[in-house]
Amino acid sequence: MDIKGSEKKEAEGPKKSPFDLIFGQIQRKKSDKGKSSIFQVKSLFRAFDKDAAKTDNEKNEKELDHKSISEDQKSDNVVSGSAEEEDSDSTGWWKVTHFMEKFGKKADIHYINLNNCELTAVDIKELGSLMPFLLDIEEMDLSWNDLIGGSLKLMTPHFNHVSKLRILNLSNCGLTGDDTAVLGESLHYIPKLQVLDLSWNNNLGGTLSRLLQNLVDNGELKSLSLTECSLTAEDIQSLAPVIGKMSRLEILDLSENKEVGSKIKNLTEELKHCSCLGVLKLRSTGLHRDSVQYLSSAFQYWPYLRKLDLSCNKAAGGGFGESAACLTSFKQLQLLDIHQCCLSEDDVAALTQVIPLLSNLQVLDMSSNKTVGLSPEHLFSRLRFLPKLKSVNVSNCMLKKESFAGLAEATRYLTDLQTLDLSWNKCVGGNLKLLTETLSNANFLQSLLLSSCNLITQDLAALGSAAQASHLDNLQQLDLAYNDTVPDEAWSLLFESIPALKNITELDISLRPASVRDCGPWFIHLISNIPKLPMMKELGMQRWTLSTAEQQQLNRICKEKNISIHYD
């Protein structure tokens, strides 16, 4: 055997038998089968993982979609809710507008004005139901509706919707004691209330305590008006301590309640705590001489008082003699009304010294105090020291010629004078020229009242001359009524010059109630010149007798010029 063949066989390895071949194939099949199984298992798990991932992705997508849908639905609900609210508000305001239109009024988000609209309980109930749409209302005026008495309970429960209400006017509404109670119970709903007017509700007398027990908690109240409410002494007694706690009170009106005077001492003591008081009205409240003295003891506590009305207290005469000096505490006093107080001579003498010191006084009413006319003329001549005076009323004061002359002279300095009432002073007759000559500086005079002054021809001539001289250019009201002493020729002089009164709106030439008189030749001047008065609105001609033709002429002219005629 050669060597090369042997090496070749060794390189190729040992020769395998058939059994080895068969066994090897079997091993290979098992190995391939195992690999295939492992591959199949791995493939199965890979498929499961893929399906799981797919499921998770689908689940996340669904959750996102669901969340997106929920958000969209939520957004749609919000938009829908907002739209519904807007629709509701729109519908509500339409109801408010429709309600106001029934009474010829316009709806306002801040102001409800239903004054003198003949409201009934049904209307009050409807108004209450509309309050949810009046959230910004600040003022409500239901005054002079006397049919709503007893029905406030239909409205006050809804006050919780109008918490911004500042002004509530219920004067002359026929209110009852029950109304007072339910109003008191609802005051906590309107904590910002500043003005409350319950005047001219006569049935409130004896029931005020039902309101006061809640009113005391209102620290914002600035104005309280209870004029002519038939208040009893007990009402005033219970009111006094409540007022003492109203630190912001600026206006108090208790006029026309006769029992106030009997409790004025209690009231005065509490009013001393009201340092912000600016207006005090006690007209016709049963004040007597001692009452005025009690009241004057509190004057020093009211540095901001602007208006003081003590008028129509006939028993107060004699109380101003010692109290007048206290008026000087009022550095800002603008109105002093003491008409019809039966002033004594001592009162007038004291007031003569004090009134000229009230440098900011604008309105002075001393009418119907006959002792004023008995005083020396210097009371009126000293009015020249009050340059801000706008209104002077000394009607029915039995003025003497000297007093009238002093007043006439003072008007030279009263450049802001707007109203001058000299009615029922007979001394004016025959002396009016003393006044007309001094009116050249009274550029703002609007009302000149000369009723029942025994005027004569020269007085009307002086009046006509003043008009033609442009001294009465701003005059709007001229009252010449009850001057039966004026002859026909004097009326002619007036109506010839009346076109110079270009701003006149009211003219009264009526005669006394017991008089009857035919129109004279002056009537032709009247109908000729009335059309030349562009501002004319009212003409008083009572007790003048007109023929049918004259009446037709006057009616036609006044209809064309829209002038109201008052005649029999």
Side-chain angles (χ1 to χ4, degrees):
M1 181 172 160
D2 67 21
I3 296 172
K4 290 184 179 179
S6 178
E7 291 177 351
K8 183 177 179 181
K9 286 181 181 179
E10 289 178 0
E12 289 177 354
K15 188 176 180 180
K16 296 181 179 182
S17 66
F19 177 80
D20 293 331
L21 292 174
I22 294 171
F23 183 78
Q25 289 178 354
I26 293 171
Q27 290 294 326
R28 282 196 299 272
K29 287 181 179 180
K30 287 182 178 181
S31 176
D32 291 341
K33 185 177 180 180
K35 289 181 180 178
S36 176
S37 299
I38 293 171
F39 175 78
Q40 290 176 355
V41 170
K42 289 183 177 180
S43 297
L44 177 63
F45 277 103
R46 280 199 299 270
F48 177 79
D49 291 340
K50 185 176 180 180
D51 291 340
K54 183 177 180 181
T55 302
D56 289 342
N57 288 337
E58 289 177 353
K59 184 178 180 181
N60 290 337
E61 288 177 1
K62 287 181 180 180
E63 288 179 354
L64 289 173
D65 290 343
H66 179 72
K67 184 176 182 181
S68 177
I69 291 172
S70 297
E71 291 294 332
D72 290 341
Q73 288 177 344
K74 184 177 181 181
S75 177
D76 290 341
N77 289 337
V78 170
V79 172
S80 176
S82 177
E84 288 177 0
E85 288 178 3
E86 290 179 2
D87 290 342
S88 178
D89 290 342
S90 177
T91 302
W93 186 247
W94 178 86
K95 290 180 179 180
V96 172
T97 302
H98 179 68
F99 177 75
M100 296 298 291
E101 286 177 349
K102 290 194 302 182
F103 307 100
K105 303 284 187 175
K106 289 185 178 181
D108 190 298
I109 61 173
H110 298 298
Y111 179 37
I112 289 291
N113 178 15
L114 291 171
N115 185 312
N116 196 20
C117 287
E118 298 183 357
L119 301 181
T120 65
V122 175
D123 300 320
I124 292 299
K125 183 177 182 180
E126 184 176 357
L127 178 59
S129 69
L130 296 175
M131 285 188 180
F133 311 109
L134 298 172
L135 303 181
D136 293 318
I137 204 72
E138 295 182 6
E139 182 174 353
M140 185 181 299
D141 187 353
L142 305 179
S143 57
W144 299 92
N145 290 288
D146 56 2
L147 297 179
I148 67 176
S151 63
L152 283 194
K153 60 185 177 183
L154 302 175
M155 179 179 69
T156 51
H158 302 283
F159 273 3
N160 61 310
H161 298 292
V162 291
S163 59
K164 296 181 181 180
L165 193 66
R166 296 185 301 105
I167 301 174
L168 180 59
N169 191 339
L170 295 169
S171 60
N172 195 31
C173 286
L175 301 186
T176 65
D178 290 338
D179 290 324
T180 309
V182 296
L183 179 60
E185 292 169 359
S186 64
L187 286 177
H188 67 280
Y189 289 137
I190 43 179
K192 296 183 179 180
L193 189 67
Q194 296 180 5
V195 178
L196 179 60
D197 191 347
L198 302 176
S199 299
W200 296 293
N201 286 291
N202 294 324
N203 293 325
L204 296 189
T207 68
L208 194 61
S209 59
R210 303 173 73 178
L211 172 70
L212 296 176
Q213 58 187 357
N214 296 285
L215 191 64
V216 70
D217 297 326
N218 191 305
E220 297 291 325
L221 201 67
K222 294 182 178 180
S223 176
L224 178 61
S225 298
L226 296 167
T227 303
E228 198 171 336
C229 287
S230 300
L231 301 184
T232 65
E234 289 72 21
D235 290 327
I236 305 302
Q237 183 75 26
S238 59
L239 176 64
V242 174
I243 287 179
K245 296 179 181 179
M246 296 180 183
S247 58
R248 300 188 181 185
L249 191 66
E250 297 178 8
I251 300 174
L252 178 61
D253 189 350
L254 299 176
S255 299
E256 306 296 337
N257 290 289
K258 304 292 186 181
E259 295 299 324
V260 172
S262 65
K263 297 295 179 180
I264 194 64
K265 190 172 183 179
N266 306 72
L267 188 62
T268 300
E269 288 301 316
E270 297 296 339
L271 280 171
K272 290 179 180 180
H273 301 292
C274 301
S275 59
C276 296
L277 197 64
V279 177
L280 179 60
K281 295 184 178 182
L282 298 174
R283 180 184 71 254
S284 189
T285 50
L287 299 183
H288 44 77
R289 178 174 179 169
D290 293 338
S291 302
V292 176
Q293 294 178 355
Y294 284 136
L295 195 62
S296 65
S297 67
F299 287 178
Q300 60 182 311
Y301 297 95
W302 309 326
Y304 306 109
L305 197 76
R306 294 175 290 105
K307 298 181 180 181
L308 179 61
D309 184 354
L310 304 178
S311 62
C312 301
N313 288 290
K314 296 182 179 180
F320 293 90
E322 298 179 8
S323 305
C326 297
L327 289 171
T328 56
S329 300
F330 302 141
K331 305 299 182 183
Q332 300 184 31
L333 194 66
Q334 298 174 6
L335 179 148
L336 177 60
D337 189 347
I338 49 175
H339 82 268
Q340 201 172 346
C341 283
C342 295
L343 300 180
S344 67
E345 292 185 20
D346 289 339
D347 290 334
V348 176
L351 291 168
T352 298
Q353 302 299 320
V354 173
I355 288 177
L357 302 177
L358 306 176
S359 58
N360 286 301
L361 199 63
Q362 297 180 14
V363 179
L364 175 62
D365 191 343
M366 299 181 68
S367 60
S368 299
N369 288 293
K370 296 185 178 181
T371 51
V372 171
L374 300 177
S375 66
E377 67 277 6
H378 57 252
L379 169 61
F380 298 107
S381 62
R382 288 186 178 183
L383 295 183
R384 69 179 68 187
F385 299 113
L386 302 174
K388 295 183 181 181
L389 267 182
K390 294 182 179 180
S391 176
V392 177
N393 188 343
V394 289
S395 64
N396 195 26
C397 284
M398 292 186 67
L399 299 185
K400 304 300 180 184
K401 182 178 179 179
E402 295 77 14
S403 299
F404 175 65
L407 177 59
E409 182 62 26
T411 59
R412 291 183 185 275
Y413 307 91
L414 305 180
T415 56
D416 290 339
L417 191 64
Q418 297 179 6
T419 301
L420 180 58
D421 191 348
L422 297 167
S423 299
W424 302 90
N425 288 295
K426 308 303 182 183
C427 71
V428 177
N431 296 301
L432 189 59
K433 189 176 181 180
L434 295 173
L435 177 65
T436 57
E437 289 177 345
T438 63
L439 289 178
S440 57
N441 294 330
N443 298 320
F444 300 101
L445 190 66
Q446 297 177 7
S447 298
L448 181 58
L449 310 178
L450 301 168
S451 176
S452 191
C453 284
N454 278 3
L455 302 183
I456 58 177
T457 301
Q458 65 190 63
D459 296 320
L460 266 65
L463 198 57
S465 298
Q468 292 177 336
S470 300
H471 295 167
L472 301 173
D473 280 356
N474 290 302
L475 195 67
Q476 297 178 15
Q477 180 185 16
L478 179 59
D479 186 356
L480 301 174
Y482 296 4
N483 283 289
D484 296 27
T485 49
V486 177
D488 287 345
E489 58 269 23
W491 291 119
S492 295
L493 290 173
L494 175 67
F495 291 120
E496 285 175 0
S497 59
I498 204 169
L501 301 177
K502 54 187 177 182
N503 287 307
I504 195 77
T505 60
E506 298 179 39
L507 174 64
D508 195 346
I509 61 170
S510 299
L511 300 174
R512 295 177 183 277
S515 302
V516 177
R517 188 168 161 187
D518 292 335
C519 291
W522 55 265
F523 183 78
I524 188 64
H525 299 293
L526 173 66
I527 61 173
S528 298
N529 291 318
I530 281 290
K532 300 177 183 179
L533 302 174
M535 307 300 291
M536 192 69 172
K537 296 299 179 184
E538 292 189 35
L539 175 62
M541 291 187 61
Q542 291 180 312
R543 267 80 63 185
W544 287 102
T545 303
L546 282 72
S547 66
T548 302
E550 290 172 335
Q551 188 170 341
Q552 290 175 347
Q553 282 182 297
L554 188 59
N555 286 342
R556 177 179 56 80
I557 293 172
C558 289
K559 185 176 181 180
E560 291 175 356
K561 303 296 293 184
N562 195 26
I563 299 173
S564 298
I565 316 172
H566 304 284
Y567 61 100
D568 297 324

